[in-house]
Amino acid sequence: MSAKVENTLNQLKVLFLCGLSVMLIYAGRVVVKGAEINVGKAVSGMAILILVSLVSLKIKEILPLKIPAFAWASLISLLLTTPWCPIQELVLDLIGQIVTSDISDAIMAIAGISIGCKLGDIKKLSWKMVLVALVVFCGTFFGSTIISHVVLSIQGII
């Protein structure tokens, strides 16, 4: 098997495992909250997300531009969901079954596992990293608070 085919299969395996973890989180949310479930649409929506991710990874490999795969995925998704795209309604209906928080939960779990594997390296970074993390957390919190206050004020809610 060629190296390119093996690389594509490995990427597909990782994307499938990520999709499976998102679907497990989705199923857990449905069980806990008692929400109605449409398994067919949710699985089809996840298949679309996996396909878009795989295509964006391949575009990144093929083109000599230094544009990250995330940007290609965003562009492909934008094109698939614009009003003039013939399959826009279908794509939005299927992907709409998957809640964004389910995806972010899976990403955070994978990131936590990744960081946990490199705990020794993190210990070597010293106390300065704790200070940087606190500044980033506070900046994010206060930045979000300011944006929320401005938006709610404009809407007349507060």
Side-chain angles (χ1 to χ4, degrees), residues 54-100:
L54 185 63
V55 169
S56 66
L57 287 169
K58 292 295 134 194
I59 290 173
K60 180 186 180 283
E61 288 176 9
I62 293 170
L63 294 180
L65 304 171
K66 294 198 182 251
I67 298 174
F70 180 82
W72 289 114
S74 298
L75 181 63
I76 293 168
S77 300
L78 178 69
L79 293 174
L80 285 174
T81 57
T82 54
W84 48 265
C85 181
I87 59 170
Q88 175 233 4
E89 289 183 26
L90 176 66
V91 170
L92 287 175
D93 184 43
L94 296 176
I95 293 177
Q97 300 295 314
I98 301 167
V99 180
T100 309

mmCIF file of all heavy atoms in Angstrom, residues 54-100:
data_model
loop_
_atom_site.group_PDB
_atom_site.id
_atom_site.type_symbol
_atom_site.label_atom_id
_atom_site.label_comp_id
_atom_site.label_asym_id
_atom_site.label_seq_id
_atom_site.Cartn_x
_atom_site.Cartn_y
_atom_site.Cartn_z
ATOM 1 N N LEU A 54 -12.114 15.453 5.863
ATOM 2 C CA LEU A 54 -11.165 14.687 5.061
ATOM 3 C C LEU A 54 -10.806 15.438 3.779
ATOM 4 O O LEU A 54 -9.621 15.511 3.406
ATOM 5 C CB LEU A 54 -11.746 13.308 4.725
ATOM 6 C CG LEU A 54 -10.802 12.355 3.996
ATOM 7 C CD1 LEU A 54 -9.595 12.019 4.866
ATOM 8 C CD2 LEU A 54 -11.539 11.087 3.605
ATOM 9 N N VAL A 55 -11.790 16.017 3.124
ATOM 10 C CA VAL A 55 -11.524 16.782 1.898
ATOM 11 C C VAL A 55 -10.618 17.974 2.202
ATOM 12 O O VAL A 55 -9.684 18.269 1.451
ATOM 13 C CB VAL A 55 -12.851 17.241 1.238
ATOM 14 C CG1 VAL A 55 -12.608 18.257 0.139
ATOM 15 C CG2 VAL A 55 -13.610 16.039 0.696
ATOM 16 N N SER A 56 -10.851 18.645 3.317
ATOM 17 C CA SER A 56 -10.018 19.804 3.664
ATOM 18 C C SER A 56 -8.581 19.372 3.961
ATOM 19 O O SER A 56 -7.636 20.078 3.605
ATOM 20 C CB SER A 56 -10.620 20.571 4.834
ATOM 21 O OG SER A 56 -10.601 19.793 6.011
ATOM 22 N N LEU A 57 -8.397 18.214 4.601
ATOM 23 C CA LEU A 57 -7.043 17.708 4.841
ATOM 24 C C LEU A 57 -6.334 17.389 3.521
ATOM 25 O O LEU A 57 -5.141 17.660 3.356
ATOM 26 C CB LEU A 57 -7.089 16.458 5.721
ATOM 27 C CG LEU A 57 -7.418 16.685 7.195
ATOM 28 C CD1 LEU A 57 -7.699 15.365 7.897
ATOM 29 C CD2 LEU A 57 -6.293 17.439 7.887
ATOM 30 N N LYS A 58 -7.069 16.822 2.583
ATOM 31 C CA LYS A 58 -6.483 16.482 1.279
ATOM 32 C C LYS A 58 -6.143 17.746 0.484
ATOM 33 O O LYS A 58 -5.098 17.805 -0.172
ATOM 34 C CB LYS A 58 -7.435 15.584 0.475
ATOM 35 C CG LYS A 58 -7.594 14.212 1.066
ATOM 36 C CD LYS A 58 -6.277 13.486 1.007
ATOM 37 C CE LYS A 58 -5.952 12.811 2.305
ATOM 38 N NZ LYS A 58 -4.598 12.354 2.453
ATOM 39 N N ILE A 59 -7.011 18.758 0.530
ATOM 40 C CA ILE A 59 -6.722 20.023 -0.165
ATOM 41 C C ILE A 59 -5.454 20.643 0.401
ATOM 42 O O ILE A 59 -4.599 21.134 -0.340
ATOM 43 C CB ILE A 59 -7.913 20.999 -0.052
ATOM 44 C CG1 ILE A 59 -9.081 20.487 -0.886
ATOM 45 C CG2 ILE A 59 -7.512 22.404 -0.502
ATOM 46 C CD1 ILE A 59 -10.352 21.298 -0.707
ATOM 47 N N LYS A 60 -5.321 20.605 1.726
ATOM 48 C CA LYS A 60 -4.133 21.164 2.378
ATOM 49 C C LYS A 60 -2.868 20.444 1.915
ATOM 50 O O LYS A 60 -1.834 21.073 1.703
ATOM 51 C CB LYS A 60 -4.260 21.064 3.893
ATOM 52 C CG LYS A 60 -3.068 21.620 4.642
ATOM 53 C CD LYS A 60 -3.198 21.365 6.119
ATOM 54 C CE LYS A 60 -2.021 21.902 6.883
ATOM 55 N NZ LYS A 60 -0.831 21.077 6.774
ATOM 56 N N GLU A 61 -2.957 19.127 1.758
ATOM 57 C CA GLU A 61 -1.790 18.360 1.308
ATOM 58 C C GLU A 61 -1.448 18.645 -0.151
ATOM 59 O O GLU A 61 -0.278 18.713 -0.514
ATOM 60 C CB GLU A 61 -2.053 16.857 1.468
ATOM 61 C CG GLU A 61 -2.045 16.379 2.885
ATOM 62 C CD GLU A 61 -2.399 14.904 2.986
ATOM 63 O OE1 GLU A 61 -2.476 14.220 1.948
ATOM 64 O OE2 GLU A 61 -2.607 14.436 4.116
ATOM 65 N N ILE A 62 -2.463 18.820 -0.995
ATOM 66 C CA ILE A 62 -2.245 18.958 -2.433
ATOM 67 C C ILE A 62 -1.740 20.354 -2.809
ATOM 68 O O ILE A 62 -0.794 20.490 -3.576
ATOM 69 C CB ILE A 62 -3.544 18.637 -3.210
ATOM 70 C CG1 ILE A 62 -3.873 17.151 -3.054
ATOM 71 C CG2 ILE A 62 -3.418 19.002 -4.669
ATOM 72 C CD1 ILE A 62 -5.248 16.771 -3.568
ATOM 73 N N LEU A 63 -2.380 21.375 -2.248
ATOM 74 C CA LEU A 63 -2.020 22.746 -2.626
ATOM 75 C C LEU A 63 -0.761 23.198 -1.890
ATOM 76 O O LEU A 63 -0.592 22.920 -0.704
ATOM 77 C CB LEU A 63 -3.172 23.697 -2.330
ATOM 78 C CG LEU A 63 -4.435 23.495 -3.167
ATOM 79 C CD1 LEU A 63 -5.493 24.498 -2.782
ATOM 80 C CD2 LEU A 63 -4.134 23.592 -4.647
ATOM 81 N N PRO A 64 0.120 23.923 -2.580
ATOM 82 C CA PRO A 64 1.365 24.371 -1.943
ATOM 83 C C PRO A 64 1.177 25.581 -1.022
ATOM 84 O O PRO A 64 2.134 26.051 -0.432
ATOM 85 C CB PRO A 64 2.250 24.729 -3.148
ATOM 86 C CG PRO A 64 1.284 25.121 -4.208
ATOM 87 C CD PRO A 64 0.060 24.260 -3.997
ATOM 88 N N LEU A 65 -0.042 26.066 -0.883
ATOM 89 C CA LEU A 65 -0.298 27.230 -0.031
ATOM 90 C C LEU A 65 -0.196 26.841 1.438
ATOM 91 O O LEU A 65 -0.494 25.716 1.814
ATOM 92 C CB LEU A 65 -1.694 27.774 -0.319
ATOM 93 C CG LEU A 65 -1.987 28.146 -1.778
ATOM 94 C CD1 LEU A 65 -3.456 28.463 -1.948
ATOM 95 C CD2 LEU A 65 -1.134 29.312 -2.192
ATOM 96 N N LYS A 66 0.203 27.777 2.266
ATOM 97 C CA LYS A 66 0.317 27.510 3.704
ATOM 98 C C LYS A 66 -0.973 27.932 4.400
ATOM 99 O O LYS A 66 -0.975 28.797 5.273
ATOM 100 C CB LYS A 66 1.516 28.233 4.289
ATOM 101 C CG LYS A 66 2.826 27.711 3.764
ATOM 102 C CD LYS A 66 3.967 28.106 4.642
ATOM 103 C CE LYS A 66 5.245 27.612 4.044
ATOM 104 N NZ LYS A 66 5.848 26.546 4.756
ATOM 105 N N ILE A 67 -2.069 27.304 4.010
ATOM 106 C CA ILE A 67 -3.376 27.569 4.596
ATOM 107 C C ILE A 67 -3.769 26.332 5.397
ATOM 108 O O ILE A 67 -3.719 25.218 4.872
ATOM 109 C CB ILE A 67 -4.424 27.877 3.504
ATOM 110 C CG1 ILE A 67 -4.013 29.130 2.731
ATOM 111 C CG2 ILE A 67 -5.804 28.041 4.115
ATOM 112 C CD1 ILE A 67 -4.892 29.436 1.546
ATOM 113 N N PRO A 68 -4.137 26.500 6.671
ATOM 114 C CA PRO A 68 -4.464 25.320 7.490
ATOM 115 C C PRO A 68 -5.730 24.610 7.009
ATOM 116 O O PRO A 68 -6.597 25.208 6.368
ATOM 117 C CB PRO A 68 -4.643 25.900 8.892
ATOM 118 C CG PRO A 68 -4.879 27.346 8.708
ATOM 119 C CD PRO A 68 -4.235 27.745 7.412
ATOM 120 N N ALA A 69 -5.815 23.342 7.349
ATOM 121 C CA ALA A 69 -6.962 22.533 6.946
ATOM 122 C C ALA A 69 -8.250 23.093 7.537
ATOM 123 O O ALA A 69 -9.317 22.988 6.926
ATOM 124 C CB ALA A 69 -6.757 21.081 7.377
ATOM 125 N N PHE A 70 -8.161 23.702 8.722
ATOM 126 C CA PHE A 70 -9.342 24.290 9.348
ATOM 127 C C PHE A 70 -9.947 25.375 8.464
ATOM 128 O O PHE A 70 -11.176 25.490 8.349
ATOM 129 C CB PHE A 70 -8.977 24.859 10.723
ATOM 130 C CG PHE A 70 -10.122 25.482 11.431
ATOM 131 C CD1 PHE A 70 -11.013 24.700 12.139
ATOM 132 C CD2 PHE A 70 -10.343 26.847 11.385
ATOM 133 C CE1 PHE A 70 -12.096 25.259 12.787
ATOM 134 C CE2 PHE A 70 -11.424 27.425 12.024
ATOM 135 C CZ PHE A 70 -12.293 26.630 12.734
ATOM 136 N N ALA A 71 -9.097 26.156 7.820
ATOM 137 C CA ALA A 71 -9.594 27.215 6.929
ATOM 138 C C ALA A 71 -10.287 26.603 5.713
ATOM 139 O O ALA A 71 -11.328 27.094 5.273
ATOM 140 C CB ALA A 71 -8.447 28.119 6.494
ATOM 141 N N TRP A 72 -9.718 25.533 5.173
ATOM 142 C CA TRP A 72 -10.351 24.870 4.037
ATOM 143 C C TRP A 72 -11.695 24.270 4.440
ATOM 144 O O TRP A 72 -12.664 24.336 3.682
ATOM 145 C CB TRP A 72 -9.439 23.787 3.457
ATOM 146 C CG TRP A 72 -8.246 24.349 2.745
ATOM 147 C CD1 TRP A 72 -6.940 24.213 3.121
ATOM 148 C CD2 TRP A 72 -8.236 25.153 1.565
ATOM 149 N NE1 TRP A 72 -6.127 24.891 2.236
ATOM 150 C CE2 TRP A 72 -6.896 25.463 1.268
ATOM 151 C CE3 TRP A 72 -9.227 25.630 0.722
ATOM 152 C CZ2 TRP A 72 -6.532 26.233 0.161
ATOM 153 C CZ3 TRP A 72 -8.863 26.403 -0.371
ATOM 154 C CH2 TRP A 72 -7.542 26.689 -0.632
ATOM 155 N N ALA A 73 -11.751 23.671 5.634
ATOM 156 C CA ALA A 73 -13.014 23.096 6.117
ATOM 157 C C ALA A 73 -14.066 24.192 6.277
ATOM 158 O O ALA A 73 -15.233 23.999 5.931
ATOM 159 C CB ALA A 73 -12.795 22.365 7.433
ATOM 160 N N SER A 74 -13.645 25.341 6.791
ATOM 161 C CA SER A 74 -14.584 26.458 6.949
ATOM 162 C C SER A 74 -15.086 26.934 5.594
ATOM 163 O O SER A 74 -16.284 27.214 5.429
ATOM 164 C CB SER A 74 -13.911 27.622 7.686
ATOM 165 O OG SER A 74 -13.529 27.236 8.971
ATOM 166 N N LEU A 75 -14.202 27.023 4.625
ATOM 167 C CA LEU A 75 -14.591 27.472 3.286
ATOM 168 C C LEU A 75 -15.542 26.479 2.615
ATOM 169 O O LEU A 75 -16.566 26.878 2.047
ATOM 170 C CB LEU A 75 -13.349 27.685 2.413
ATOM 171 C CG LEU A 75 -13.607 28.179 1.003
ATOM 172 C CD1 LEU A 75 -14.257 29.565 1.029
ATOM 173 C CD2 LEU A 75 -12.312 28.216 0.214
ATOM 174 N N ILE A 76 -15.235 25.197 2.723
ATOM 175 C CA ILE A 76 -16.107 24.170 2.138
ATOM 176 C C ILE A 76 -17.480 24.204 2.809
ATOM 177 O O ILE A 76 -18.516 24.147 2.146
ATOM 178 C CB ILE A 76 -15.468 22.772 2.271
ATOM 179 C CG1 ILE A 76 -14.213 22.682 1.407
ATOM 180 C CG2 ILE A 76 -16.455 21.678 1.889
ATOM 181 C CD1 ILE A 76 -13.357 21.467 1.687
ATOM 182 N N SER A 77 -17.488 24.323 4.125
ATOM 183 C CA SER A 77 -18.756 24.382 4.859
ATOM 184 C C SER A 77 -19.563 25.609 4.468
ATOM 185 O O SER A 77 -20.787 25.536 4.319
ATOM 186 C CB SER A 77 -18.500 24.392 6.369
ATOM 187 O OG SER A 77 -17.810 23.240 6.750
ATOM 188 N N LEU A 78 -18.875 26.718 4.318
ATOM 189 C CA LEU A 78 -19.550 27.950 3.896
ATOM 190 C C LEU A 78 -20.188 27.771 2.529
ATOM 191 O O LEU A 78 -21.346 28.142 2.316
ATOM 192 C CB LEU A 78 -18.550 29.112 3.874
ATOM 193 C CG LEU A 78 -19.090 30.457 3.401
ATOM 194 C CD1 LEU A 78 -20.065 31.015 4.433
ATOM 195 C CD2 LEU A 78 -17.974 31.425 3.145
ATOM 196 N N LEU A 79 -19.451 27.168 1.605
ATOM 197 C CA LEU A 79 -19.987 26.947 0.259
ATOM 198 C C LEU A 79 -21.170 25.976 0.266
ATOM 199 O O LEU A 79 -22.132 26.151 -0.481
ATOM 200 C CB LEU A 79 -18.893 26.427 -0.674
ATOM 201 C CG LEU A 79 -17.770 27.419 -0.989
ATOM 202 C CD1 LEU A 79 -16.668 26.743 -1.791
ATOM 203 C CD2 LEU A 79 -18.305 28.641 -1.715
ATOM 204 N N LEU A 80 -21.110 24.952 1.114
ATOM 205 C CA LEU A 80 -22.199 23.969 1.184
ATOM 206 C C LEU A 80 -23.473 24.527 1.816
ATOM 207 O O LEU A 80 -24.553 23.997 1.608
ATOM 208 C CB LEU A 80 -21.757 22.736 1.969
ATOM 209 C CG LEU A 80 -20.815 21.781 1.263
ATOM 210 C CD1 LEU A 80 -20.363 20.691 2.219
ATOM 211 C CD2 LEU A 80 -21.463 21.180 0.030
ATOM 212 N N THR A 81 -23.337 25.586 2.606
ATOM 213 C CA THR A 81 -24.504 26.112 3.320
ATOM 214 C C THR A 81 -24.971 27.470 2.816
ATOM 215 O O THR A 81 -25.848 28.080 3.433
ATOM 216 C CB THR A 81 -24.198 26.208 4.828
ATOM 217 O OG1 THR A 81 -23.040 27.027 5.026
ATOM 218 C CG2 THR A 81 -23.964 24.843 5.430
ATOM 219 N N THR A 82 -24.413 27.932 1.713
ATOM 220 C CA THR A 82 -24.904 29.191 1.149
ATOM 221 C C THR A 82 -26.239 28.955 0.448
ATOM 222 O O THR A 82 -26.514 27.854 -0.022
ATOM 223 C CB THR A 82 -23.894 29.777 0.143
ATOM 224 O OG1 THR A 82 -23.585 28.786 -0.828
ATOM 225 C CG2 THR A 82 -22.642 30.256 0.818
ATOM 226 N N PRO A 83 -27.075 29.975 0.380
ATOM 227 C CA PRO A 83 -28.407 29.799 -0.211
ATOM 228 C C PRO A 83 -28.409 29.328 -1.663
ATOM 229 O O PRO A 83 -29.343 28.686 -2.094
ATOM 230 C CB PRO A 83 -29.028 31.196 -0.105
ATOM 231 C CG PRO A 83 -28.297 31.858 0.999
ATOM 232 C CD PRO A 83 -26.907 31.299 0.977
ATOM 233 N N TRP A 84 -27.378 29.607 -2.430
ATOM 234 C CA TRP A 84 -27.377 29.206 -3.826
ATOM 235 C C TRP A 84 -26.862 27.792 -4.043
ATOM 236 O O TRP A 84 -26.841 27.293 -5.162
ATOM 237 C CB TRP A 84 -26.594 30.197 -4.679
ATOM 238 C CG TRP A 84 -25.253 30.582 -4.138
ATOM 239 C CD1 TRP A 84 -24.980 31.676 -3.373
ATOM 240 C CD2 TRP A 84 -24.023 29.894 -4.307
ATOM 241 N NE1 TRP A 84 -23.651 31.708 -3.047
ATOM 242 C CE2 TRP A 84 -23.036 30.615 -3.613
ATOM 243 C CE3 TRP A 84 -23.636 28.738 -4.962
ATOM 244 C CZ2 TRP A 84 -21.706 30.226 -3.556
ATOM 245 C CZ3 TRP A 84 -22.314 28.342 -4.897
ATOM 246 C CH2 TRP A 84 -21.373 29.082 -4.210
ATOM 247 N N CYS A 85 -26.436 27.111 -2.990
ATOM 248 C CA CYS A 85 -25.995 25.721 -3.115
ATOM 249 C C CYS A 85 -27.230 24.814 -3.204
ATOM 250 O O CYS A 85 -28.139 24.904 -2.373
ATOM 251 C CB CYS A 85 -25.141 25.324 -1.913
ATOM 252 S SG CYS A 85 -24.538 23.634 -1.986
ATOM 253 N N PRO A 86 -27.299 23.925 -4.179
ATOM 254 C CA PRO A 86 -28.503 23.097 -4.357
ATOM 255 C C PRO A 86 -28.776 22.123 -3.206
ATOM 256 O O PRO A 86 -29.917 21.716 -3.009
ATOM 257 C CB PRO A 86 -28.240 22.341 -5.661
ATOM 258 C CG PRO A 86 -26.800 22.495 -5.957
ATOM 259 C CD PRO A 86 -26.304 23.686 -5.219
ATOM 260 N N ILE A 87 -27.765 21.763 -2.445
ATOM 261 C CA ILE A 87 -27.981 20.821 -1.339
ATOM 262 C C ILE A 87 -27.942 21.507 0.021
ATOM 263 O O ILE A 87 -27.829 20.851 1.049
ATOM 264 C CB ILE A 87 -26.949 19.670 -1.387
ATOM 265 C CG1 ILE A 87 -25.523 20.207 -1.300
ATOM 266 C CG2 ILE A 87 -27.144 18.820 -2.621
ATOM 267 C CD1 ILE A 87 -24.483 19.131 -1.109
ATOM 268 N N GLN A 88 -28.077 22.837 0.027
ATOM 269 C CA GLN A 88 -27.975 23.615 1.260
ATOM 270 C C GLN A 88 -28.967 23.160 2.316
ATOM 271 O O GLN A 88 -28.602 22.937 3.469
ATOM 272 C CB GLN A 88 -28.181 25.104 0.953
ATOM 273 C CG GLN A 88 -28.208 25.963 2.186
ATOM 274 C CD GLN A 88 -29.430 26.854 2.274
ATOM 275 O OE1 GLN A 88 -30.319 26.795 1.434
ATOM 276 N NE2 GLN A 88 -29.489 27.645 3.301
ATOM 277 N N GLU A 89 -30.225 23.008 1.967
ATOM 278 C CA GLU A 89 -31.246 22.635 2.949
ATOM 279 C C GLU A 89 -30.973 21.267 3.548
ATOM 280 O O GLU A 89 -31.118 21.069 4.754
ATOM 281 C CB GLU A 89 -32.636 22.670 2.309
ATOM 282 C CG GLU A 89 -33.123 24.068 2.015
ATOM 283 C CD GLU A 89 -34.525 24.084 1.439
ATOM 284 O OE1 GLU A 89 -35.283 23.129 1.706
ATOM 285 O OE2 GLU A 89 -34.850 25.037 0.726
ATOM 286 N N LEU A 90 -30.572 20.327 2.722
ATOM 287 C CA LEU A 90 -30.262 18.983 3.206
ATOM 288 C C LEU A 90 -29.072 19.003 4.160
ATOM 289 O O LEU A 90 -29.121 18.421 5.250
ATOM 290 C CB LEU A 90 -29.967 18.047 2.028
ATOM 291 C CG LEU A 90 -29.528 16.631 2.400
ATOM 292 C CD1 LEU A 90 -30.668 15.883 3.085
ATOM 293 C CD2 LEU A 90 -29.041 15.892 1.180
ATOM 294 N N VAL A 91 -28.009 19.713 3.771
ATOM 295 C CA VAL A 91 -26.806 19.792 4.607
ATOM 296 C C VAL A 91 -27.142 20.442 5.948
ATOM 297 O O VAL A 91 -26.761 19.934 7.013
ATOM 298 C CB VAL A 91 -25.686 20.565 3.884
ATOM 299 C CG1 VAL A 91 -24.530 20.866 4.816
ATOM 300 C CG2 VAL A 91 -25.205 19.787 2.675
ATOM 301 N N LEU A 92 -27.863 21.552 5.917
ATOM 302 C CA LEU A 92 -28.217 22.234 7.160
ATOM 303 C C LEU A 92 -29.120 21.380 8.043
ATOM 304 O O LEU A 92 -28.983 21.369 9.266
ATOM 305 C CB LEU A 92 -28.889 23.576 6.862
ATOM 306 C CG LEU A 92 -27.964 24.674 6.340
ATOM 307 C CD1 LEU A 92 -28.763 25.908 5.963
ATOM 308 C CD2 LEU A 92 -26.893 25.009 7.345
ATOM 309 N N ASP A 93 -30.045 20.651 7.434
ATOM 310 C CA ASP A 93 -30.945 19.788 8.197
ATOM 311 C C ASP A 93 -30.175 18.665 8.888
ATOM 312 O O ASP A 93 -30.403 18.373 10.060
ATOM 313 C CB ASP A 93 -32.029 19.221 7.284
ATOM 314 C CG ASP A 93 -33.047 18.391 8.046
ATOM 315 O OD1 ASP A 93 -33.466 18.814 9.148
ATOM 316 O OD2 ASP A 93 -33.439 17.323 7.537
ATOM 317 N N LEU A 94 -29.260 18.043 8.166
ATOM 318 C CA LEU A 94 -28.515 16.915 8.730
ATOM 319 C C LEU A 94 -27.487 17.362 9.769
ATOM 320 O O LEU A 94 -27.389 16.787 10.847
ATOM 321 C CB LEU A 94 -27.836 16.123 7.615
ATOM 322 C CG LEU A 94 -28.773 15.439 6.622
ATOM 323 C CD1 LEU A 94 -27.982 14.764 5.517
ATOM 324 C CD2 LEU A 94 -29.690 14.459 7.316
ATOM 325 N N ILE A 95 -26.743 18.406 9.453
ATOM 326 C CA ILE A 95 -25.725 18.886 10.390
ATOM 327 C C ILE A 95 -26.378 19.558 11.594
ATOM 328 O O ILE A 95 -25.828 19.548 12.696
ATOM 329 C CB ILE A 95 -24.732 19.825 9.683
ATOM 330 C CG1 ILE A 95 -23.921 19.019 8.678
ATOM 331 C CG2 ILE A 95 -23.798 20.496 10.670
ATOM 332 C CD1 ILE A 95 -22.954 19.825 7.870
ATOM 333 N N GLY A 96 -27.560 20.107 11.408
ATOM 334 C CA GLY A 96 -28.271 20.752 12.515
ATOM 335 C C GLY A 96 -28.647 19.792 13.628
ATOM 336 O O GLY A 96 -28.973 20.221 14.736
ATOM 337 N N GLN A 97 -28.597 18.502 13.367
ATOM 338 C CA GLN A 97 -28.902 17.509 14.393
ATOM 339 C C GLN A 97 -27.785 17.399 15.432
ATOM 340 O O GLN A 97 -27.998 16.912 16.527
ATOM 341 C CB GLN A 97 -29.122 16.130 13.749
ATOM 342 C CG GLN A 97 -30.254 16.084 12.765
ATOM 343 C CD GLN A 97 -31.589 16.333 13.436
ATOM 344 O OE1 GLN A 97 -31.881 15.772 14.472
ATOM 345 N NE2 GLN A 97 -32.392 17.183 12.836
ATOM 346 N N ILE A 98 -26.594 17.845 15.058
ATOM 347 C CA ILE A 98 -25.441 17.723 15.951
ATOM 348 C C ILE A 98 -25.219 19.070 16.619
ATOM 349 O O ILE A 98 -25.023 20.084 15.966
ATOM 350 C CB ILE A 98 -24.196 17.296 15.163
ATOM 351 C CG1 ILE A 98 -24.474 15.956 14.493
ATOM 352 C CG2 ILE A 98 -22.987 17.208 16.064
ATOM 353 C CD1 ILE A 98 -23.491 15.559 13.461
ATOM 354 N N VAL A 99 -25.243 19.058 17.939
ATOM 355 C CA VAL A 99 -25.083 20.289 18.710
ATOM 356 C C VAL A 99 -23.589 20.625 18.809
ATOM 357 O O VAL A 99 -22.756 19.737 19.002
ATOM 358 C CB VAL A 99 -25.691 20.113 20.121
ATOM 359 C CG1 VAL A 99 -25.550 21.363 20.943
ATOM 360 C CG2 VAL A 99 -27.142 19.694 20.007
ATOM 361 N N THR A 100 -23.278 21.899 18.667
ATOM 362 C CA THR A 100 -21.884 22.347 18.700
ATOM 363 C C THR A 100 -21.195 21.955 19.997
ATOM 364 O O THR A 100 -20.021 21.601 19.997
ATOM 365 C CB THR A 100 -21.818 23.873 18.511
ATOM 366 O OG1 THR A 100 -22.580 24.220 17.351
ATOM 367 C CG2 THR A 100 -20.405 24.342 18.332
#
